[in-house]
């Protein structure tokens, strides 16, 4: 459940900015039918930063409910305050989620020791499996391999989503942890290379709209069919990049609506709709990837 193509699921909203359960159910069924390995609910792509705690919990629990045990659900539980992270994590005990994805604290830029103590406290507050999430472009600080290695010694910290795009991190972390520790890419554009170097899969934005293609890509990589995987990945490459032409998840929500996967591409402020200049760029990427 923690390998292959794991989707960083968008949170579908209605015109008022509230959860659209019909679109959420449609998305979940789409991923089950397409072979997605698991869903991350309310990660950063799911607009965790603009949902209240009550809404955050509501969306995760609705995802579990609508999934009906057919696909594993991982709860996004990242915050920049340790006490808040503990509280949020505890909400999901006995909820049916299979684990939590917790981002490096953002904005306050803790030291390596601060990061260690943050994740250690959260892990020790819960029996749920914990996946670390390192994304310096968004958090403003980078969790180094040595800190990851210290955290990997804690029993229920089972892996990391590494989104630096720095492929040398794969071997750097592997040298310091045991073989059971799971390495997941958080960067679609370099995910295939990440897997070829020993990663177990990807937590993917692209999978929101190209679920079958990303599932096939990961399966081909797992089987060692890298030439076929690379051919498929090359078709998707423009999409990997274009989905970040404006801040995530603006482009991917727009694309999901265009493909009929969600009813609205509503976002919470300060996120605003895809601009008129960017829309044809994303549309072309969908066509080039064979999704239109």
């Amino acid at each position: 459940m923690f390998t292959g193509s794991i989707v960083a699921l968008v949170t579908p909203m209605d015109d008022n900015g509230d959860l659209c359960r019909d679109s959420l159910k449609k998305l979940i069924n789409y991923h089950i039918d397409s072979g997605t390995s698991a869903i991350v609910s309310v990660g950063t792509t799911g607009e965790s930063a603009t949902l209240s705690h009550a809404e955050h919990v509501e969306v995760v629990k609705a995802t579990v409910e609508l999934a009906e045990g057919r696909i594993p659900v991982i709860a996004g539980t990242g915050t920049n305050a340790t006490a808040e992270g503990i509280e949020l994590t505890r909400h999901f005990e006995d909820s049916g989620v299979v684990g939590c994805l917790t981002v490096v604290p953002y904005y306050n830029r803790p030291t390596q020791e601060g990061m260690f103590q943050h994740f250690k406290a959260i892990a020790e507050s819960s029996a749920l499996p914990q996946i670390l999430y390192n994304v310096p472009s968004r958090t403003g600080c980078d969790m180094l391999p040595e800190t990851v290695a210290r955290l990997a010694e804690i029993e229920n910290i089972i892996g990391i989503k590494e989104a630096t795009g720095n492929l040398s991190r794969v071997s750097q972390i592997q040298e310091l942890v045991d073989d059971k520790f799971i390495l997941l890419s958080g960067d679609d554009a370099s995910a295939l290379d990440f897997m070829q170097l020993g990663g177990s899969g990807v937590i993917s934005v692209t999978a929101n709209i190209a679920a079958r293609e990303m599932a096939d890509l990961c399966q081909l990589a797992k089987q060692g069919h890298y030439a076929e995987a690379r051919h498929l990945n090359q078709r998707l490459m423009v999409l990997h990049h274009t989905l970040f032409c404006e801040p995530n998840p603006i482009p991917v929500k727009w694309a999901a609506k265009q493909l009929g996967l969600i009813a609205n591409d509503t976002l919470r402020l300060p996120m605003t709709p895809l601009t008129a200049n960017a829309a044809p760029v994303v549309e072309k990427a969908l066509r080039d990837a064979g999704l239109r």
Side-chain angles (χ1 to χ4, degrees):
M1 70 180 72
F2 298 117
T3 63
S5 176
I6 300 170
V7 63
L9 196 69
V10 298
T11 298
M13 299 173 182
D14 61 23
D15 288 334
N16 298 318
D18 297 320
L19 173 66
C20 178
R21 286 179 63 95
D22 289 343
S23 287
L24 180 59
K25 184 175 182 178
K26 187 173 186 177
L27 279 177
I28 292 167
N29 289 337
Y30 165 68
H31 285 287
I32 292 166
D33 293 344
S34 299
T36 299
S37 297
I39 289 169
V40 171
S41 178
V42 199
T44 48
T45 302
E47 295 176 80
S48 57
T50 55
L51 297 180
S52 70
H53 268 218
E55 290 171 325
H56 190 134
V57 173
E58 175 198 357
V59 174
V60 173
K61 290 188 174 180
T63 304
V64 173
E65 175 194 337
L66 295 170
E68 298 177 315
R70 295 172 296 159
I71 187 170
V73 178
I74 301 163
T77 52
T79 69
N80 63 344
T82 306
E84 215 176 348
I86 290 170
E87 180 186 355
L88 193 54
T89 301
R90 284 176 174 166
H91 274 295
F92 300 119
E93 294 283 353
D94 303 317
S95 68
V97 304
V98 298
C100 299
L101 177 69
T102 308
V103 72
V104 166
Y106 42 88
Y107 186 77
N108 44 21
R109 301 178 66 192
T111 63
Q112 296 299 308
E113 182 62 23
M115 290 181 224
F116 173 78
Q117 294 295 339
H118 172 81
F119 288 114
K120 178 176 181 287
I122 292 172
E124 290 178 347
S125 76
S126 171
L128 285 168
Q130 303 289 316
I131 301 171
L132 312 171
Y133 177 16
N134 187 38
V135 56
S137 63
R138 287 213 153 187
T139 62
C141 57
D142 183 10
M143 184 163 54
L144 299 178
E146 292 76 15
T147 304
V148 176
R150 290 178 68 196
L151 289 165
E153 294 176 5
I154 298 170
E155 184 176 5
N156 60 328
I157 295 181
I158 63 165
I160 185 169
K161 175 184 177 182
E162 174 56 57
T164 58
N166 178 1
L167 292 170
S168 66
R169 284 293 172 90
V170 181
S171 60
Q172 289 171 0
I173 294 172
Q174 283 177 324
E175 288 174 4
L176 299 172
V177 300
D178 64 36
D179 291 342
K180 295 185 295 181
F181 193 74
I182 299 163
L183 274 68
L184 297 166
S185 172
D187 176 58
D188 281 303
S190 61
L192 177 57
D193 293 323
F194 189 100
M195 287 183 279
Q196 192 163 1
L197 291 168
S200 297
V202 58
I203 297 180
S204 171
V205 173
T206 300
N208 276 285
I209 56 172
R212 172 58 64 186
E213 290 81 357
M214 288 303 297
D216 288 348
L217 177 70
C218 290
Q219 187 63 24
L220 287 167
K222 180 180 179 181
Q223 295 170 347
H225 301 315
Y226 291 111
E228 292 174 63
R230 203 158 294 283
H231 180 74
L232 174 56
N233 193 51
Q234 199 57 43
R235 175 159 63 87
L236 297 174
M237 189 60 72
V238 67
L239 197 61
H240 296 329
H241 290 294
T242 302
L243 290 179
F244 291 88
C245 67
E246 291 186 359
N248 183 43
I250 294 171
V252 72
K253 265 196 161 179
W254 184 89
K257 181 185 178 184
Q258 299 306 305
L259 295 175
L261 296 170
I262 58 177
N264 299 285
D265 56 354
T266 307
L267 299 135
R268 288 278 183 88
L269 286 170
M271 307 301 277
T272 52
L274 190 72
T275 62
N277 286 339
V281 177
V282 180
E283 175 65 31
K284 184 177 185 302
L286 293 176
R287 294 186 184 282
D288 289 348
L291 302 181
R292 296 286 253 176

